[in-house]
Amino acid sequence: MRLRNVKNKDEIISNSVFVIEKPEDYKGKWNIVFDNDNPIQIEIGMGKGDFIIGKALNNPNINFIGIEKYDSVLARAVEKIPPNLSNLRLVRLDALNIDKIFDSEVDIIYLNFSDPWPKKRHANRRLTSSVFLEKYEKIFVDSKVICQKTDNQALFEYSVVNLSKYGYTITELSMDLHNSKVENNIMTEYEKKFSARGDKIYYLLAKK
Ligand SMILES: C[S@@+](CC[C@H](N)C(=O)[O-])C[C@H]1O[C@@H](n2cnc3c(N)ncnc32)[C@H](O)[C@@H]1O
């Protein structure tokens, strides 16, 4: 996501009750942060947060954590959160370190419009590459669920193949999410942009 530097990003982030600044302190004990034992679902690369905020508003009995690599993007997400949304937290983190902040406590990982990294030599940077799938193994509670949406056919095909190789079963799949039977879809910023110009949205749910 290209975003101009947000000048007061540090202030926005440090003043927010929603941002967890030392997430590694809560590894294996995120229930303390939320003060309950509700299930935890995360979005990696949440961008400006429309999806994860929408999920948290619609599902008060599930805890949501949005992960984003860049400060300026995170700051924009912070500004959109309605007050008193107690089941949402945000973390600034490169997903390469995801296993440093969670231990056997995540129910679902959402990957929405992740960077496709089209060059073969960058394939390991895709969030469904074995590099990341190996890290996800350690953070899931027990059963593993990955939900992906993308406009990028090559990334989608790569994900289907790689998830299957890694032992996941693709239980739901659509090559045109907005004309499918999938219900309760919450649109991301990218999804709104791409679908407005007529692009089809690819969707999968994978379980292991
Ligand atoms: C193309 S944007 C999509 C944003 C949002 N999910 C949406 O659908 O509108 C991808 C986002 O993932 C973030 N991102 C990319 N690689 C990441 C990584 N390794 N760890 C955390 N966030 C990452 C980017 O900074 C960017 O905000």
Side-chain angles (χ1 to χ4, degrees):
M1 175 174 287
R2 309 236 182 282
L3 188 78
R4 263 189 239 129
N5 182 39
V6 174
K7 265 193 199 153
N8 54 343
K9 58 183 184 303
D10 294 340
E11 207 183 326
I12 295 171
I13 290 171
S14 59
N15 286 340
S16 172
V17 292
F18 294 102
V19 179
I20 303 298
E21 297 229 46
K22 288 188 181 167
E24 58 283 0
D25 288 356
Y26 298 101
K27 183 176 178 177
K29 44 192 177 191
W30 280 88
N31 56 334
I32 294 176
V33 171
F34 293 103
D35 200 20
N36 61 49
D37 288 323
N38 291 343
I40 294 174
Q41 303 183 1
I42 69 172
E43 183 186 11
I44 300 180
M46 64 158 180
K48 293 186 218 157
D50 281 14
F51 174 84
I52 199 89
I53 294 170
K55 289 294 272 189
L57 285 169
N58 288 0
N59 301 279
N61 295 324
I62 298 174
N63 297 324
F64 291 90
I65 301 171
I67 315 278
E68 171 53 51
K69 189 155 98 169
Y70 294 111
D71 289 357
S72 290
V73 185
L74 184 78
R76 285 290 171 253
V78 166
E79 291 177 323
K80 291 186 177 186
I81 306 176
N84 307 322
L85 193 56
S86 59
N87 61 330
L88 176 67
R89 294 293 185 282
L90 306 182
V91 168
R92 177 189 35 209
L93 185 86
D94 187 321
L96 275 174
N97 296 316
I98 198 83
D99 54 338
K100 297 199 175 112
I101 70 162
F102 295 114
D103 181 12
S104 312
E105 54 199 322
V106 171
D107 274 63
I108 302 182
I109 298 177
Y110 296 99
L111 302 174
N112 293 321
F113 299 85
S114 311
D115 298 338
W117 294 107
K119 290 185 181 147
K120 210 172 174 183
R121 70 173 191 276
H122 292 147
N124 279 345
R125 298 183 192 179
R126 298 174 195 151
L127 293 181
T128 45
S129 73
S130 309
V131 170
F132 288 96
L133 294 182
E134 198 179 319
K135 291 179 189 287
Y136 302 159
E137 288 287 303
K138 302 174 203 156
I139 74 169
F140 277 121
V141 169
D142 185 12
S143 61
K144 303 164 179 66
V145 182
I146 295 179
C147 185
Q148 182 174 46
K149 294 195 275 186
T150 180
D151 61 309
N152 188 293
Q153 188 179 348
L155 176 66
F156 188 69
E157 288 171 1
Y158 172 88
S159 297
V160 170
V161 170
N162 217 39
L163 285 162
S164 304
K165 266 193 207 160
Y166 217 84
Y168 283 84
T169 303
I170 310 295
T171 59
E172 292 178 27
L173 184 148
S174 174
M175 313 276 275
D176 186 2
L177 174 64
H178 296 172
N179 290 303
S180 75
K181 287 181 186 159
V182 177
E183 290 177 349
N184 304 322
N185 181 45
I186 293 178
M187 299 245 262
T188 78
E189 298 87 20
Y190 271 63
E191 187 171 355
K192 287 173 202 161
K193 198 170 76 181
F194 291 133
S195 59
R197 69 178 193 205
D199 293 359
K200 293 208 180 348
I201 307 300
Y202 299 89
Y203 162 85
L204 68 77
L205 190 73
K207 293 187 180 170
K208 184 173 169 183

